[in-house]
Amino acid sequence: MELTWEVVFCLGIALLIHILIFIFVMAKRPKSIVGRHVVITGGSKGIGLCLAVECAMKGANVTVIARDEKMLRGAIALLEVIRQRPEQKFQHRSLDIGSDYDQVARVLGELEESVGDIYAMINCAGMAICGLFEEVAVEDVHKLMNVNFFGSYNCTRYVLPKMKKAGEGIIVLTSSQAAIFGIYGYGPYAASKYALRAMAETIAMESRSHGVSVTLALPCDTNTTGFEEEEKSKPRETKIISGGGGLIEPEVIAKAILKDALKGNFISIVGAQSWLITMLGGALMPWDGFFTNLLHATIIGPVRLLGYGLHKHFNGIIRKCAREDRALKASKSDDIKVEQ
Ligand SMILES: *[C@@H]1O[C@H](CO)[C@@H](O)[C@H](O)[C@H]1NC(C)=O
Ligand SMILES: *[C@@H]1O[C@H](CO)[C@@H](O)[C@H](O)[C@H]1NC(C)=O
Ligand SMILES: *[C@@H]1O[C@H](CO)[C@@H](O)[C@H](O)[C@H]1NC(C)=O
């Protein structure tokens, strides 16, 4: 067949039709949570509270779970202020998700009886303890794994089989950029977040055909009270390295997470730096959209060099801090000698 302009024209039209079909038909429509039961752990502050607000704005029945009763009542009072529909139901449960599975299962079971089956389980409860590997206390590492991993594991373990049976549901797991790239001072924290990431990837693959979507949130530094707390224990190197990505407001992260969760996107990230790191470190994660994958395929080669540069840059920071520490020590011992 000769390549006449008619053939080229027809091919062009066919391509255009495919692209239009892709954009308008295949594009995911967000799910609705109006009147649906959404449970949010860690929902009394930070990203969790912002998510509770977003879900309430979208008309959901919201249950917030956290430990502190007073903060929980504050969260519910806030939800009442932004109530969208008179029949919306807001409730809270004080629960230490670091307790045993049976207790988590019992509380979630009671919740389902009083509000209805859980349609979306948003796992936001988490904590951060930073420090050099050998500096973090052994019991703190157990605490980190317990709250960050087992807390989300136990809640997910309870709801997932029910969601699969119902053929619908949304699970959100809040991990971190530290689950893509373990950096200085984040040892056990990063390990707990990596564990969540691995769990999310697995259950996403296992649940998709059952109508359950899984979203893995990978936020960078977020301006929350938890973050302020974590800054206190952070080594200087960690602050410089991790602070390079800037500080994002929790409202922004929460909006992005809910949007991705309702669209059924697996990955939820905010900002160019998170995108870059996630693409490089998580290339095998299920990135949605053929064009997204095509884009990654074309740029990942050269961008890989950026990763190399990033490591060089971070190592430079660590060396610089070490030099400064040595100089500080030397000047201190000089002072002592002078005093003597
Ligand atoms: C999760 O359940 C297991 C098994 O019952 C229990 O050992 C663990 O402490 C629980 N962890 C959390 C955080 O709920
Ligand atoms: C949400 O709460 C309202 C008011 O209690 C109730 O009528 C509705 O059935 C609830 N929806 C679910 C899914 O539980
Ligand atoms: C973080 O949030 C607090 C209170 O919401 C605000 O005062 C502060 O300016 C924020 N910090 C940054 C760096 O945006």
Side-chain angles (χ1 to χ4, degrees), residues 35-37 61 87 89 115-116:
R36 292 303 194 115
H37 188 192
N61 289 346
E87 69 275 17
K89 203 165 178 183
V115 188

Side-chain angles (χ1 to χ4, degrees), residues 150-200:
F150 280 109
S152 297
Y153 164 80
N154 285 351
C155 293
T156 306
R157 178 73 180 74
Y158 176 80
V159 294
L160 187 62
K162 289 170 160 259
M163 287 180 176
K164 277 166 116 170
K165 211 161 156 198
E168 59 173 19
I170 296 173
I171 289 175
V172 174
L173 293 158
T174 309
S175 181
S176 159
Q177 282 292 305
I180 302 291
F181 186 22
I183 61 167
Y184 193 106
Y186 269 140
Y189 171 75
S192 70
K193 293 295 188 177
Y194 260 84
L196 271 184
R197 170 187 163 192
M199 181 173 92

Side-chain angles (χ1 to χ4, degrees), residues 88-138:
Q88 250 177 309
K89 203 165 178 183
F90 304 132
Q91 57 172 1
H92 69 273
R93 268 306 145 83
S94 167
L95 170 71
D96 180 4
I97 57 160
S99 58
D100 64 299
Y101 176 76
D102 293 338
Q103 196 179 344
V104 173
R106 184 175 54 74
V107 169
L108 292 181
E110 284 167 12
L111 282 173
E112 289 197 310
E113 260 164 43
S114 66
V115 188
D117 288 347
I118 299 171
Y119 177 67
M121 179 77 229
I122 302 184
N123 296 282
C124 257
M127 65 184 298
I129 299 172
C130 308
L132 289 188
F133 183 77
E134 64 274 24
E135 280 171 6
V136 181
V138 177

Side-chain angles (χ1 to χ4, degrees), residues 278-297:
T278 310
M279 182 194 53
L280 271 175
L284 257 187
M285 292 202 301
W287 289 86
D288 278 311
F290 177 69
F291 290 110
T292 305
N293 284 276
L294 197 64
L295 175 72
H296 289 187

